[in-house]
Amino acid sequence: MNILLLGSGGREHAFAWKIVQSTNCTQLYVAPGNAGTESIATNVAISITDFDAIRDFITSKDIALVVVGPEEPLVKGIVDFLQNQPETAAIPVVGPSQLGATLEGSKDFSKRFMQRNNVPTAAYETFTADQLEAGLAYLDSQNLPIVLKADGLAAGKGVLICLTLEEAKASLKEMLLDQKFGEASSKVVIEEFLTGIELSVFVATDGKNYKILPEAKDYKRIGEGDTGLNTGGMGAVSPVIFADEAFMAKVEEKVVKPTVDGLAKENIPYKGFLFIGLMNKDGEPHVIEYNVRMGDPETEAVLPRIESDFLALLHGIGTGTLDSYELKISPDYATTVVMVSGGYPGSYEKGKVISLPDTVQGAEIFHAGTGRNESGELVNQGGRVIAVTGKGESLQEALSNAFATVKGINWDQAYYRKDIGMDILNLM
Ligand code: AMP
Ligand code: GLY
């Protein structure tokens, strides 16, 4: 079949890498893609939010499956759009409906969904600008630290963990009255601070059936030892040793089942991936957030561990036939180290020429923010540039493979964290 994949990050390069391994893949198109997807598929210069152009492309290339990588087109309703067009109505799409995507697009919507469906999560209340006084009084009644979340999408920046009451009150005012995060903070969720160890669980669902993919831990901060500014993600490790069988069984019973059942019961069309950010608090899972897509860079650590046909998994999601899919997971470790442009997540220079090693052992190189200059050389075009995934029978071996490959990749001002996976290694 011909497939169209939307997106241009490391996640999409990993998706493309896995899809083209399937014998059922005739032609893979990636819109817009990057220099990595270009080498294994056909890049198409269409924006992920240009729905009309996407529909026309699907029709002209006889596309049989559409896979949506990032959240933006999902939250903007691409799935409903394609279903409502006569030309594309019958084509399966991997990605939730706009209502389903609201689980990521609105923190208040997702908290209310969790409450209705008895999914364990932190206690909370939501406030708008005209409820500022009530919000301040609520803060007075809560323990510290306290978490403030912009309701809408804020590019991963909308969450504040406040250590003092003064800070929390000032931040609430800035969010509600001064639109600190623009329209996204016109509503603010005030939430109990959870302590514990964080991990990400990934679920593939067709709205009725589900498969739990390998879990992962990501590294959000720019600096070693989890210091400095938040980023999109600087690395990932899978499996996560503290997510043992007993804990994952609780995740399935208390979180995954009530979530998928809740979507079905509430008639929220959902054929796609669900990324559940969890806190393991004294052995009990609590949901921090839902994302309506796979994580990046977690995908680059999760997909290399899937041994069964990934295109068949995607097809099962899109066509509602996931019950007949047999998921096979490798027990091996996969560790991803993200190489970024110096200065990221602040400003950085683009157009630096990247040199890649000729041979790679025990690792896979995924492109994120890469492109080509006028001379055809590989250059950085984004903040997160390359994600290297090492594999191995042990965590140590996977990390050695990843870092050995990273050392052979160079460009002016490249930066990466040398401590990815070290915290887990120390727990073992
Ligand atoms: P989010 O943007 O929702 O992924 O939140 C960013 C990060 O803030 C999460 O990955 C957690 O590390 C942290 N966080 C969010 N909510 C809470 C909470 N209720 N308690 C503790 N940490 C939290
Ligand atoms: N790595 C976190 C995310 O994809 O949201």
Side-chain angles (χ1 to χ4, degrees):
M1 64 180 112
N2 295 336
I3 302 132
L4 174 64
L5 169 64
L6 301 182
S8 59
R11 168 182 49 214
E12 285 75 27
H13 188 189
F15 266 59
W17 169 77
K18 216 50 187 161
I19 289 170
V20 298
Q21 288 171 21
S22 171
T23 49
N24 286 319
C25 173
T26 310
Q27 177 95 49
L28 173 65
Y29 298 95
V30 190
N34 59 34
T37 60
E38 182 187 65
S39 64
I40 53 174
T42 304
N43 283 357
V44 194
I46 297 178
S47 154
I48 54 172
T49 51
D50 188 348
F51 293 178
D52 287 327
I54 291 169
R55 174 204 53 217
D56 294 347
F57 185 83
I58 292 170
T59 323
S60 71
K61 297 292 182 194
D62 193 21
I63 298 292
L65 183 70
V66 181
V67 183
V68 186
E71 66 278 13
E72 192 190 358
L74 295 168
V75 172
K76 290 189 170 152
I78 186 154
V79 174
D80 310 67
F81 173 85
L82 293 174
Q83 268 167 3
N84 291 328
Q85 305 282 306
E87 305 95 306
T88 51
I91 296 167
V93 183
V94 176
S97 62
Q98 189 166 29
L99 184 59
T102 313
L103 285 179
E104 179 166 355
S106 163
K107 304 261 186 212
D108 178 56
F109 177 90
S110 96
K111 294 293 285 190
R112 282 189 281 127
F113 175 88
M114 288 182 234
Q115 253 185 355
R116 283 195 302 275
N117 292 289
N118 291 317
V119 175
T121 187
Y124 82 104
E125 289 280 343
T126 303
F127 300 93
T128 54
D130 52 16
Q131 298 165 322
L132 176 67
E133 289 309 318
L136 294 171
Y138 183 74
L139 285 174
D140 277 324
S141 71
Q142 298 300 300
N143 294 327
L144 292 167
I146 186 93
V147 184
L148 267 51
K149 297 185 172 183
D151 177 61
L153 289 186
K157 298 193 179 92
V159 174
L160 301 179
I161 295 171
C162 300
L163 303 177
T164 67
L165 191 58
E166 294 68 40
E167 187 191 344
K169 288 187 170 178
S171 299
L172 183 66
K173 284 185 198 158
E174 280 175 41
M175 288 168 94
L176 289 177
L177 303 183
D178 309 335
Q179 307 242 314
K180 186 179 170 80
F181 299 106
E183 179 57 26
S185 65
S186 60
K187 255 191 210 174
V188 173
V189 169
I190 302 179
E191 186 175 285
E192 168 197 6
F193 179 78
L194 297 170
T195 47
I197 326 182
E198 230 178 304
L199 80 155
S200 306
V201 170
F202 300 95
V203 180
T205 181
D206 60 13
K208 309 180 291 282
N209 313 288
Y210 65 83
K211 302 284 170 186
I212 300 180
L213 307 180
E215 75 286 351
K217 178 186 190 300
D218 80 339
Y219 294 80
K220 286 193 206 306
R221 303 295 191 96
I222 187 73
E224 282 166 19
D226 293 323
T227 54
L229 293 174
N230 257 323
T231 69
M234 296 296 293
V237 171
S238 179
V240 181
I241 52 148
F242 56 79
D244 56 17
E245 242 174 80
F247 180 73
M248 289 306 288
K250 279 188 197 168
V251 170
E252 179 162 10
E253 277 313 309
K254 297 185 178 182
V255 176
V256 177
K257 276 190 187 158
T259 299
V260 175
D261 289 349
L263 289 169
K265 202 171 62 199
E266 298 188 12
N267 295 312
I268 300 175
Y270 204 109
K271 291 181 172 155
F273 292 100
L274 186 64
F275 161 165
I276 309 177
L278 285 173
M279 193 71 89
N280 175 343
K281 186 183 171 195
D282 305 323
E284 287 298 321
H286 295 262
V287 175
I288 292 176
E289 64 168 348
Y290 291 121
N291 293 309
V292 297
R293 51 173 173 86
M294 287 297 289
D296 193 354
E298 293 92 331
T299 299
E300 293 94 298
V302 168
L303 262 49
R305 296 190 56 222
I306 298 179
E307 290 180 332
S308 37
D309 187 318
F310 186 62
L311 179 53
L313 173 73
L314 295 171
H315 192 257
I317 297 171
T319 55
T321 57
L322 209 49
D323 50 335
S324 60
Y325 181 78
E326 209 175 310
L327 179 67
K328 203 162 169 266
I329 305 291
S330 157
D332 284 356
Y333 281 81
T335 60
T336 303
V337 178
V338 177
M339 302 180 73
V340 304
S341 304
Y344 172 82
S347 60
Y348 51 85
E349 288 173 36
K350 296 182 185 177
K352 309 272 183 199
V353 177
I354 302 168
S355 68
L356 295 179
D358 294 331
T359 56
V360 174
Q361 259 183 348
E364 208 55 58
I365 297 173
F366 297 112
H367 291 232
T370 64
R372 303 238 167 233
N373 63 15
E374 280 168 7
S375 324
E377 293 165 310
L378 186 68
V379 294
N380 71 320
Q381 284 187 343
R384 293 191 291 168
V385 181
I386 297 273
V388 174
T389 299
K391 276 192 82 174
E393 284 177 18
S394 66
L395 179 57
Q396 183 71 69
E397 186 191 350
L399 287 169
S400 309
N401 285 336
F403 284 112
T405 300
V406 164
K407 287 197 183 91
I409 301 175
N410 298 297
W411 72 91
D412 182 27
Q413 294 172 22
Y415 168 79
Y416 61 92
R417 272 181 65 170
K418 296 176 186 65
D419 67 339
I420 301 302
M422 295 306 164
D423 52 338
I424 298 194
L425 215 51
N426 291 336
L427 286 177
M428 294 173 102

